Amino acid sequence: HFIIAGEVSTIFTSQNNVKKIHHVILTPNIETAVQINERLARYGNLAIDGRPTLDMTAPQLVEEIMQISSENVVIPAHAWTPWFSLFGAFSGFNLIEDCYQDMTKYISALETGLSSDPPMNWRLSTLDKYALVSNSDSHSAWPWRIGREANVFDLEPLTYREVIDAIRQKDPKRFKFTIETNPAYGKYHWTGHRNCNVALSPQEAIKFGNHCPVCGKRLTKGVEQRVEELADRPVGFKPEGA
């Protein structure tokens, strides 16, 4: 049993800023995968990297993918990491709708990424309607990193369509739970500056004006601090049906 999946990066300008967003694509069969490749090859070299970079907007990507098959799925990848994600501090957005615009209707799930977990995402009421998926995101030569995060389903029958429907319906009877790595393990969980070996909690980072206390350069704003900026609920809030 397997699902054909891939990750792509879109780079585009929006709100007078360059946006770099990674997306996970799921597709039901080899035929639709071939069609996806043919479409996306117009926007970038698919052979140059395991995660191709495409010269297109996020809404364009979703439109192209969904025109091929209504069973295709696009999920914002590791939605909180600073550099290449939907809510990233450096090149992201504050709202899903700002990123995907009229194609938001096709977005049914978010990937939490290693540096965040469901309780962190539950703090944003705007995310309540989306399923939260966790994948290993294993861009690595180390096989033990495969499955370090995972999604647990209870399905009858076990088919692509059942998996996708359980996610789209956010059905707790079929999509049971996710397996999570401690977010602190993710290299972007706290705000920091790698060159100076500095890692700070949101409170400490704000105290230093988001600049490195060693060299004075701007810090890389961590996922926890970014969640804190956008959250409209207290720590520990759990929405009904989560």
Side-chain angles (χ1 to χ4, degrees):
H1 295 292
F2 62 90
I3 287 177
I4 301 168
E7 183 180 347
V8 300
S9 175
T10 56
I11 298 184
F12 57 100
T13 301
S14 177
Q15 303 171 348
N16 296 319
N17 289 308
V18 175
K19 305 294 186 181
K20 302 175 182 179
I21 315 293
H22 288 181
H23 319 260
V24 176
I25 300 170
L26 310 180
T27 195
N29 54 56
I30 295 291
E31 289 72 26
T32 51
V34 169
Q35 291 177 58
I36 289 172
N37 284 351
E38 289 171 349
R39 291 265 188 128
L40 298 189
R42 304 171 194 165
Y43 300 95
N45 186 344
L46 304 189
I48 205 166
D49 188 20
R51 182 188 50 225
T53 297
L54 307 173
D55 183 15
M56 65 193 308
T57 68
Q60 272 182 299
L61 173 72
V62 176
E63 185 172 24
E64 292 276 18
I65 297 299
M66 298 311 297
Q67 280 179 355
I68 293 165
S69 170
S70 61
E71 291 191 300
N72 287 335
V73 175
V74 179
I75 299 173
H78 43 72
W80 291 95
T81 55
W83 299 100
F84 298 100
S85 74
L86 169 62
F87 295 128
F90 288 129
S91 63
F93 298 85
N94 290 344
L95 293 168
I96 293 179
E97 291 80 4
D98 290 344
C99 179
Y100 291 100
Q101 299 175 15
D102 58 337
M103 293 292 113
T104 305
K105 61 190 175 187
Y106 294 113
I107 304 298
S108 55
L110 302 177
E111 186 185 73
T112 56
L114 286 178
S115 297
S116 91
D117 60 10
M120 293 169 71
N121 287 265
W122 292 337
R123 295 188 59 200
L124 278 74
S125 60
T126 55
L127 303 185
D128 283 355
K129 63 183 176 182
Y130 300 97
L132 300 175
V133 301
S134 294
N135 305 312
S136 58
D137 193 27
S138 184
H139 302 281
S140 168
W142 301 104
W144 48 264
R145 285 182 170 162
I146 297 172
R148 58 188 170 181
E149 298 207 332
N151 307 289
V152 178
F153 296 91
D154 185 4
L155 303 173
E156 190 61 51
L158 179 56
T159 64
Y160 174 88
R161 188 169 291 175
E162 278 289 301
V163 170
I164 297 314
D165 192 59
I167 292 172
R168 285 178 171 167
Q169 300 298 324
K170 217 180 140 191
D171 180 1
K173 289 189 174 65
R174 291 180 294 164
F175 184 5
K176 306 293 282 187
F177 56 88
T178 59
I179 298 171
E180 301 287 332
T181 298
N182 185 332
Y185 176 78
K187 67 178 177 181
Y188 293 121
H189 181 65
W190 267 13
T191 297
H193 188 204
R194 190 183 307 170
N195 290 348
C196 294
N197 200 28
V198 168
L200 302 170
S201 69
Q203 295 75 20
E204 290 174 309
I206 292 167
K207 185 174 74 177
F208 287 111
N210 289 314
H211 285 81
C212 177
V214 176
C215 72
K217 290 183 178 178
R218 186 170 64 146
L219 294 166
T220 298
K221 191 179 290 181
V223 169
E224 186 171 320
Q225 186 172 348
R226 185 69 175 134
V227 170
E228 199 67 49
E229 285 179 353
L230 299 184
D232 58 349
R233 289 167 170 164
V235 174
F237 184 92
K238 185 173 182 179
E240 193 176 339

